[in-house]
């Protein structure tokens, strides 16, 4: 049997000059910095929109537009919350994203008026809201999905499983 040595990877030389772990950590920090800037920009837009609501309330009585602006601020608040969850867990919360989408769809219905939309669009919107409602229900029934996908220490299900596994391993007899 003639065994040949395994050929070394052509990237082995690059590994000595490029530290992959440092590059990934730097890119992760840079991504966090981008998300922080997005949060600050979103907060500034929320303040401007809030000021616009106060101006609109004092000058006009178009409550449909005021309601649309209030819902827009709620969408911005939910997006801000989504970014905060991402900064904490480095994972997108599906439940929060679905909530943002539901409020966005309802805002568009309010802005355009339910009576001014064609029946095909109304049926499509109803179907979309039913699907999003079902998805939100699934997310509410399985709250561990987001933390399991994030693979963080804050997930109660994973943490409990680790405790049971470690307790089970301690109880096993050890053979020498």
């Amino acid at each position: 049997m003639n065994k040949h040595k395994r050929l070394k990877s052509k990237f082995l030389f690059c590994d000595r000059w490029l530290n992959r772990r440092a590059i990934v950590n730097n890119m992760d920090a840079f991504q966090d910095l981008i998300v922080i800037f997005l949060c600050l920009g979103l907060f500034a837009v929320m303040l401007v929109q809030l000021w616009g609501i106060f101006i609109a309330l004092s000058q006009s009585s178009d409550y449909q537009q005021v309601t649309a602006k209030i819902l827009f601020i709620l969408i911005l608040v939910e997006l801000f919350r989504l970014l905060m969850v991402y900064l904490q867990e480095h994972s997108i919360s599906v439940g929060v994203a679905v909530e943002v989408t539901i409020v966005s769809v309802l805002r568009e219905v309010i802005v355009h008026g339910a009576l001014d939309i064609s029946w095909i669009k109304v049926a499509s919107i109803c179907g979309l809201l039913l699907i999003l409602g079902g998805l939100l229900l699934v997310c509410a029934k399985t709250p561990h999905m987001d933390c399991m996908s994030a693979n963080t220490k804050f997930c109660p299900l994973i943490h409990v499983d680790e405790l049971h596994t470690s307790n089970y391993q301690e109880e096993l007899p050890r053979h020498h």
Side-chain angles (χ1 to χ4, degrees), residues 64 106-118 122 125:
Q64 185 178 11
L106 293 177
R107 178 193 178 272
E108 290 302 313
V109 170
I110 289 173
V111 167
H112 297 293
L115 299 177
D116 297 335
I117 302 174
S118 69
V122 170
I125 290 171

Side-chain angles (χ1 to χ4, degrees), residues 158-174:
I158 292 173
H159 187 65
V160 169
D161 285 345
E162 287 175 357
L163 285 176
H164 288 307
T165 305
S166 64
N167 287 343
Y168 179 73
Q169 289 175 349
E170 289 174 2
E171 293 174 2
L172 289 176
R174 296 185 182 171

Side-chain angles (χ1 to χ4, degrees), residues 23-153:
I23 291 172
V24 169
N25 288 337
N26 289 333
M27 295 301 284
D28 198 30
F30 185 67
Q31 188 175 11
D32 285 347
L33 189 64
I34 290 173
V35 172
I36 289 169
F37 282 130
L38 286 173
C39 288
L40 293 174
L42 204 56
F43 192 72
V45 170
M46 282 190 282
L47 290 177
V48 169
Q49 290 294 319
L50 193 59
W51 181 254
I53 287 175
F54 288 130
I55 298 296
L57 282 175
S58 64
Q59 292 179 353
S60 69
S61 61
D62 187 11
Y63 294 110
Q64 185 178 11
Q65 289 299 323
V66 172
T67 305
K69 287 183 180 188
I70 290 171
L71 286 174
F72 183 63
I73 287 183
L74 288 176
I75 292 168
L76 294 177
V77 166
E78 289 297 319
L79 286 173
F80 188 80
R81 192 172 110 204
L82 188 66
L83 290 174
M84 289 292 109
V85 168
Y86 180 79
L87 276 177
Q88 290 173 348
E89 301 179 6
H90 286 267
S91 174
I92 297 294
S93 172
V94 176
V96 176
V98 170
E99 290 171 4
V100 169
T101 308
I102 289 172
V103 174
S104 299
V105 169
L106 293 177
R107 178 193 178 272
E108 290 302 313
V109 170
I110 289 173
V111 167
H112 297 293
L115 299 177
D116 297 335
I117 302 174
S118 69
W119 69 271
I120 295 173
K121 287 184 181 178
V122 170
S124 301
I125 290 171
C126 289
L128 179 63
L129 288 175
L130 281 173
I131 291 170
L132 290 172
L135 187 56
L136 190 61
L137 187 64
V138 167
C139 288
K141 294 289 183 184
T142 55
H144 62 278
M145 283 178 58
D146 287 334
C147 67
M148 284 176 59
S149 64
N151 197 17
T152 62
K153 294 179 184 176

